[in-house]
Amino acid sequence: MTTRISDVLFRTREDSFSSIASLGSNADAVDAGLLFLNGVEKFVVILGPSGSGKTHLLNVMSAHFWQRGLRVEGARSAAEYFRQPHNRDADCPLLLDDCHEIWGSPKQKMALRLQLERRVRAGRPTVLSFTQDSPSRLLAALLPQRREWRITQIANPSAEERLKLVQKMAKNEGVQLCPRLARIMASEIPGSASALSGALKTLKLGGLEWKDARAVLRSLSLMDPYFGGNSAWDLRHRLLKLAKDPLHATEGVQPLDLALYTLVYVVGMPESHIEAGTNLRCTEIYRRASTFRRLVEDHAEIAAIADRFVEAAAVAIGG
């Protein structure tokens, strides 16, 4: 099951609007949802890209009706709704998700059009959600009495909104992120909130506190699969390159050994993954990293060098 912004915006209390992260990109849709619950709006359409929070908004609205002792129809995909028995003339609110899925079924499209006509004439509250960025001719043809409908759109979040999203997610999951790590996740993990949510869940398996430089580097290794859609992202290459920077040159310390130690023992990257970037065999990578680790353990000055490099790496990657 695909994770949506449902796991991002509303985690604290799934049935509470008060837990929604207030973003410019979702403000109009949330406002329409509140007005619908209060009877101000009777017919609402919510548009937005996949993973933008439409499904969870409908679920929250449905939960509010049930809490008030009111029955509600739907709160599921339109295709599923029409595949199963339903009361097409129910007076209760109707909430249909993923209505775009019926575009390829003339039969379901006609059935929905006829049902909407009856509902608008009878004034029965109705909410529809579609995974699309803006109104279309198909949508215009589906809606009876177009002026009766409030059409709202959820946009992809901006960079600043993605940062707020990550911070909100982390708080809801009980994960403590340093500001640097939150920025890296917001800016470097591509895709919708689904990817951000998945990355945080993976991170949570490794611990709840990710605050210092070592934790930042370790976390990036754990979340590495979620950076896969970012062609500019290669943690291994970044650390190997950084170790060669003259700023980190220290007499008696081989830059490659410093980088290998950091990748193996701080980042936790498997030797097999490092191999392709160094032209070294796994056994040689392990030997050199282990030798440097013993130096770190036995010599305070080498440990200080390693600590400075880890801090510099976290700063460099975090921008």
Side-chain angles (χ1 to χ4, degrees):
M1 181 178 179
T2 302
T3 303
R4 303 178 183 274
I5 280 192
S6 46
D7 290 327
V8 178
L9 301 180
F10 309 98
R11 176 70 65 177
T12 306
R13 274 192 59 198
E14 291 190 355
D15 58 358
S16 173
F17 273 84
S18 64
S19 64
I20 298 176
S22 180
L23 306 176
S25 55
N26 70 359
D28 190 47
V30 173
D31 181 58
L34 288 167
L35 293 175
F36 180 83
L37 290 175
N38 289 309
V40 179
E41 297 284 357
K42 283 195 172 182
F43 308 106
V44 174
V45 171
I46 302 172
L47 309 177
S50 177
S52 60
K54 302 181 300 296
T55 296
H56 203 85
L57 184 54
L58 263 65
N59 287 339
V60 169
M61 293 162 69
S62 177
H64 272 254
F65 282 119
W66 285 109
Q67 288 166 11
R68 285 151 55 180
L70 301 174
R71 195 168 69 85
V72 63
E73 279 279 331
R76 51 182 165 164
S77 74
E80 179 187 357
Y81 177 75
F82 283 108
R83 283 196 301 266
Q84 298 178 356
H86 61 276
N87 182 1
R88 66 180 185 178
D89 292 317
D91 287 329
C92 61
L94 175 66
L95 311 178
L96 290 184
D97 196 15
D98 293 328
C99 292
H100 59 281
E101 293 179 354
I102 70 168
W103 290 146
S105 172
K107 182 179 179 180
Q108 289 186 347
K109 190 163 56 174
M110 179 59 69
L112 180 56
R113 168 72 191 195
L114 292 174
Q115 187 160 351
L116 293 179
E117 288 178 351
R118 288 193 294 270
R119 295 190 68 84
V120 171
R121 283 198 303 268
R124 297 167 183 155
T126 306
V127 177
L128 311 174
S129 87
F130 297 79
T131 296
Q132 59 187 65
D133 294 331
S134 59
S136 63
R137 273 186 273 181
L138 283 172
L139 178 61
L142 179 68
L143 301 179
Q145 299 185 40
R146 167 65 182 80
R147 292 183 180 181
E148 297 291 325
W149 294 82
R150 174 166 175 174
I151 298 180
T152 69
Q153 296 172 238
I154 301 177
N156 281 316
S158 65
E160 187 61 29
E161 287 177 335
R162 279 178 67 87
L163 178 57
K164 291 181 180 178
L165 219 50
V166 170
Q167 293 167 337
K168 177 70 174 179
M169 291 168 62
K171 181 178 180 181
N172 291 344
E173 291 287 352
V175 177
Q176 298 180 43
L177 304 179
C178 66
R180 183 183 302 158
L181 180 54
R183 285 196 302 272
I184 293 173
M185 293 179 65
S187 62
E188 300 289 353
I189 295 180
S192 69
S194 300
L196 293 174
S197 179
L200 254 179
K201 291 179 187 302
T202 299
L203 194 58
K204 188 175 181 179
L205 294 175
L208 297 179
E209 291 191 13
W210 303 88
K211 293 183 176 182
D212 60 17
R214 285 177 174 264
V216 169
L217 296 188
R218 174 63 176 158
S219 71
L220 298 181
S221 176
L222 292 174
M223 296 188 293
D224 190 66
Y226 295 95
F227 295 96
N230 186 342
S231 59
W233 181 264
D234 188 333
L235 182 59
R236 174 195 58 195
H237 173 73
R238 290 188 181 197
L239 291 183
L240 289 169
K241 182 179 179 180
L242 185 64
K244 297 177 183 178
D245 191 310
L247 290 174
H248 304 295
T250 304
E251 186 176 352
V253 174
Q254 292 292 326
L256 180 57
D257 291 348
L258 176 59
L260 292 177
Y261 159 79
T262 305
L263 285 167
V264 173
Y265 290 107
V266 178
V267 175
M269 188 175 292
E271 291 87 348
S272 58
H273 188 57
I274 303 170
E275 191 176 30
T278 60
N279 294 320
L280 297 175
R281 289 185 174 275
C282 289
T283 52
E284 179 66 6
I285 292 171
Y286 175 77
R287 185 189 68 79
R288 295 181 70 159
S290 297
T291 299
F292 195 88
R293 183 187 189 186
R294 287 193 292 273
L295 291 175
V296 168
E297 293 172 345
D298 295 340
H299 302 280
E301 63 274 19
I302 301 298
I305 291 169
D307 286 342
R308 285 196 297 272
F309 178 71
V310 168
E311 181 66 33
V315 170
I317 294 171

